[in-house]
């Protein structure tokens, strides 16, 4: 009896020992075969920060816990990032998808950035993993300027199509009318005069388009020459004198004489002629248009002042856009193409100058061309002589 009890106890001890040994072996095997998970990356790899600083896009780097490790100043300015958080939910969702499968994703998103107001901004977004570091790179490029340029291009195509269609359609209709009225000499003369008017308008539009196409690149003048401002003023006034006389508008000029600038004489005459022609077209009869030349130490200013209808404040910022008209019906009635002021602006850019405007409704407008003074040295004593003349 006692022997059986000892045998049972011995068997039980053996069983417990075997189980314990088996567990110890498995634990040992598991500890040898399991590799600990890498610690989350908490800093940027060498060189990444320098690369991000050179990127023009808004750049954000997220770690494996979605914490922002690095954000460019643009990303913070657009309020894509606040503190160490990426606050745009759509971008955060993309980053998590890329982290899961490693697939680079590109898309466009619209964000209400509220930098200068409530308007939203469209971003072209690219999200990619940074190698095997566990970090995610988010790049967002502002598409506002690209969208604006595309809109301007579409508007230009639509506007030029409309502007060309009007005189061409008128010419076609007038030709048919003349054909039907061939037995009425008075009607033929009247409609032929209208056809000439429309043909002149079409020629003017095409010429303005050619001029604008030639200068809108804003590249420096290849061979600027010394241009006498007196000649530019005289030629510009002569070109519109007939139109001014028709409305009994007095053309006057004054100010500094003998002033020169470096540039293209023909383009400068075109710019000033466009301003004077606009002043005459938008001024009532029996008024005056004055061209004044002033100088400073570094610039020459040519101002064109009229006593016309003036320009509403809301239109002042847009009048230099191609085909923009304050009063479309009146502009077409005066034969304007809507390109004159755009040409003036581009010519000034080409000459490293600018054009500005002051206007008040009912009182008139003053357009001013500012050009760098000629760098040609003045003859000895010329400054003193000019000062003496001015004093007299």
């Amino acid at each position: 009896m006692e022997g059986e009890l000892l045998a049972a106890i011995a068997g039980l001890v053996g069983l417990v020992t075997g189980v314990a040994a088996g567990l110890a072996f498995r634990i040992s095997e598991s500890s040898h075969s399991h590799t600990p998970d890498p610690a989350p990356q908490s800093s940027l790899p060498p060189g990444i920060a320098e690369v991000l600083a050179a990127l023009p896009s808004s750049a954000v780097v997220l770690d494996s816990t979605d914490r922002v490790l690095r954000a460019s100043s643009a990303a913070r300015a657009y309020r894509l990032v606040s503190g160490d958080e990426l606050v745009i939910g759509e971008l955060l969702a993309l980053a998590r998808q890329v982290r899961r499968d490693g697939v680079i994703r590109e898309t466009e998103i619209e964000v209400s950035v509220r930098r200068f107001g409530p308007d939203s901004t469209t971003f072209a977004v690219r999200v990619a993993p940074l190698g095997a570091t566990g970090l995610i790179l988010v790049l967002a490029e502002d598409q506002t300027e690209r969208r604006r340029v595309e809109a301007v291009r579409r508007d230009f195509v639509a506007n030029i199509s409309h502007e060309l269609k009007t005189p061409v359609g008128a010419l076609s209709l007038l030709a048919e009318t003349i054909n039907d009225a061939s037995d009425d000499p008075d009607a033929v003369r009247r409609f032929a005069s209208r056809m000439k008017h429309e043909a002149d308008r079409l020629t003017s539009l095409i010429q303005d388009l050619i001029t604008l196409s030639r200068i809108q690149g804003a590249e420096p003048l290849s061979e600027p020459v010394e241009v006498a401002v007196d000649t530019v003023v005289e030629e510009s006034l002569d070109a519109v004198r007939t139109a001014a006389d028709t409305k009994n508008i007095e053309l006057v000029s004054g100010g500094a004489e003998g002033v020169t600038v470096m540039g293209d004489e023909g383009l400068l005459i075109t710019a000033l002629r466009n301003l004077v022609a606009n002043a005459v077209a938008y001024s009532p009869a029996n008024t005056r248009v004055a061209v004044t030349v002033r100088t400073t130490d570094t610039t020459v200013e040519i101002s064109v002042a009229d006593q016309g209808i003036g320009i509403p404040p809301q239109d002042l910022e847009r009048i230099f856009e191609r085909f923009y008209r304050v009063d479309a019906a009146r502009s077409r009635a005066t034969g304007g193409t809507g390109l004159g002021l755009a040409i003036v602006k581009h010519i000034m850019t080409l000459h490293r100058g600018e054009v500005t405007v002051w206007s008040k409704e009912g009182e008139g407008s003053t357009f001013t061309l500012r050009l760098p003074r000629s760098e040609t040295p003045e003859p000895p004593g010329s400054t003193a002589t000019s000062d003496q003349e001015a004093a007299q």
Side-chain angles (χ1 to χ4, degrees):
M1 183 70 176
E2 198 173 304
E4 293 178 357
L5 180 60
L6 290 175
I9 292 173
L12 182 60
V13 171
L15 177 61
V16 172
T17 302
V19 171
L23 288 173
F25 177 76
R26 290 186 179 183
I27 291 173
S28 176
E29 285 292 316
S30 176
S31 64
H32 281 85
S33 62
H34 179 69
T35 302
D37 292 332
Q41 185 90 21
S42 60
S43 61
L44 292 177
I48 296 296
E50 289 76 7
V51 173
L52 295 180
L55 291 175
S57 307
S58 300
V60 180
V61 178
L62 302 176
D63 66 10
S64 58
T65 63
D66 293 333
R67 183 170 63 91
V68 174
L69 291 183
R70 176 63 64 95
S72 66
S73 57
R76 295 190 182 279
Y78 282 116
R79 299 185 181 181
L80 304 179
V81 172
S82 176
D84 61 354
E85 294 183 1
L86 182 62
V87 297
I88 306 302
E90 192 171 349
L91 292 181
L92 192 58
L94 280 177
R96 289 170 177 170
Q97 292 177 17
V98 171
R99 185 183 294 112
R100 282 197 300 268
D101 56 25
V103 177
I104 297 174
R105 285 177 168 81
E106 295 181 351
T107 187
E108 283 195 358
I109 64 171
E110 194 168 281
V111 178
S112 181
V113 295
R114 301 181 184 275
R115 287 183 303 164
F116 308 110
D119 293 339
S120 61
T121 298
T122 301
F123 291 92
V125 176
R126 182 179 177 87
V127 183
L130 279 176
T133 62
L135 305 180
I136 299 297
L137 173 63
V138 179
L139 295 176
E141 185 174 353
D142 183 3
Q143 300 294 293
T144 302
E145 182 62 19
R146 181 178 66 83
R147 293 287 180 87
R148 188 192 69 80
V149 171
E150 289 178 353
V152 169
R153 184 181 296 112
R154 286 194 301 270
D155 289 345
F156 177 77
V157 172
N159 284 330
I160 191 59
S161 300
H162 175 74
E163 294 295 334
L164 288 172
K165 180 180 179 181
T166 302
V168 169
L171 286 172
S172 176
L173 181 61
L174 287 169
E176 292 179 4
T177 305
I178 288 177
N179 184 58
D180 294 339
S182 57
D183 56 347
D184 186 347
D186 292 336
V188 169
R189 282 193 294 269
R190 184 170 65 254
F191 291 128
S193 177
R194 290 285 306 279
M195 287 185 69
K196 184 179 183 306
H197 173 76
E198 294 296 339
D200 290 343
R201 179 180 170 188
L202 186 59
T203 300
S204 179
L205 175 59
I206 293 173
Q207 185 59 53
D208 281 352
L209 284 171
I210 293 172
T211 301
L212 187 60
S213 176
R214 184 162 64 95
I215 64 177
Q216 67 183 353
E219 298 177 357
L221 292 172
S222 56
E223 295 182 1
V225 298
E226 193 171 22
V227 179
V229 174
D230 292 343
T231 302
V232 174
V233 172
E234 183 180 350
E235 292 284 344
S236 301
L237 293 177
D238 286 344
V240 299
R241 200 171 298 279
T242 300
D245 290 343
T246 302
K247 300 173 67 175
N248 196 30
I249 292 176
E250 182 185 8
L251 299 178
V252 298
S253 61
E257 298 180 354
V259 181
T260 61
V261 295
M262 299 300 294
D264 183 297
E265 182 178 280
L267 290 179
L268 291 176
I269 291 173
T270 297
L272 186 58
R273 183 183 68 237
N274 284 349
L275 293 183
V276 178
N278 277 357
V280 170
Y282 290 97
S283 293
N286 305 311
T287 56
R288 185 177 67 171
V289 172
V291 179
T292 306
V293 179
R294 299 183 181 88
T295 61
T296 69
D297 292 340
T298 58
T299 63
V300 175
E301 299 181 356
I302 311 173
S303 298
V304 179
D306 64 52
Q307 299 170 319
I309 59 176
I311 303 169
Q314 67 270 18
D315 293 311
L316 284 175
E317 294 184 359
R318 299 194 60 190
I319 58 175
F320 295 103
E321 295 178 12
R322 291 172 295 187
F323 295 113
Y324 186 81
R325 292 181 170 97
V326 176
D327 185 341
R330 183 184 179 97
S331 179
R332 290 192 176 93
T334 58
T337 64
L339 294 173
L341 292 180
I343 290 174
V344 172
K345 180 180 178 180
H346 283 294
I347 290 176
M348 287 299 99
T349 301
L350 201 63
H351 286 78
R352 296 180 292 119
E354 64 174 351
V355 55
T356 58
V357 58
W358 171 92
S359 186
K360 187 173 182 180
E361 289 185 275
E363 294 187 12
S365 305
T366 299
F367 286 82
T368 301
L369 305 179
R370 289 188 179 87
L371 294 159
R373 291 197 67 168
S374 173
E375 298 177 359
T376 303
E378 295 181 348
S382 61
T383 303
T385 302
S386 298
D387 292 342
Q388 291 173 2
E389 291 176 352
Q392 294 174 357

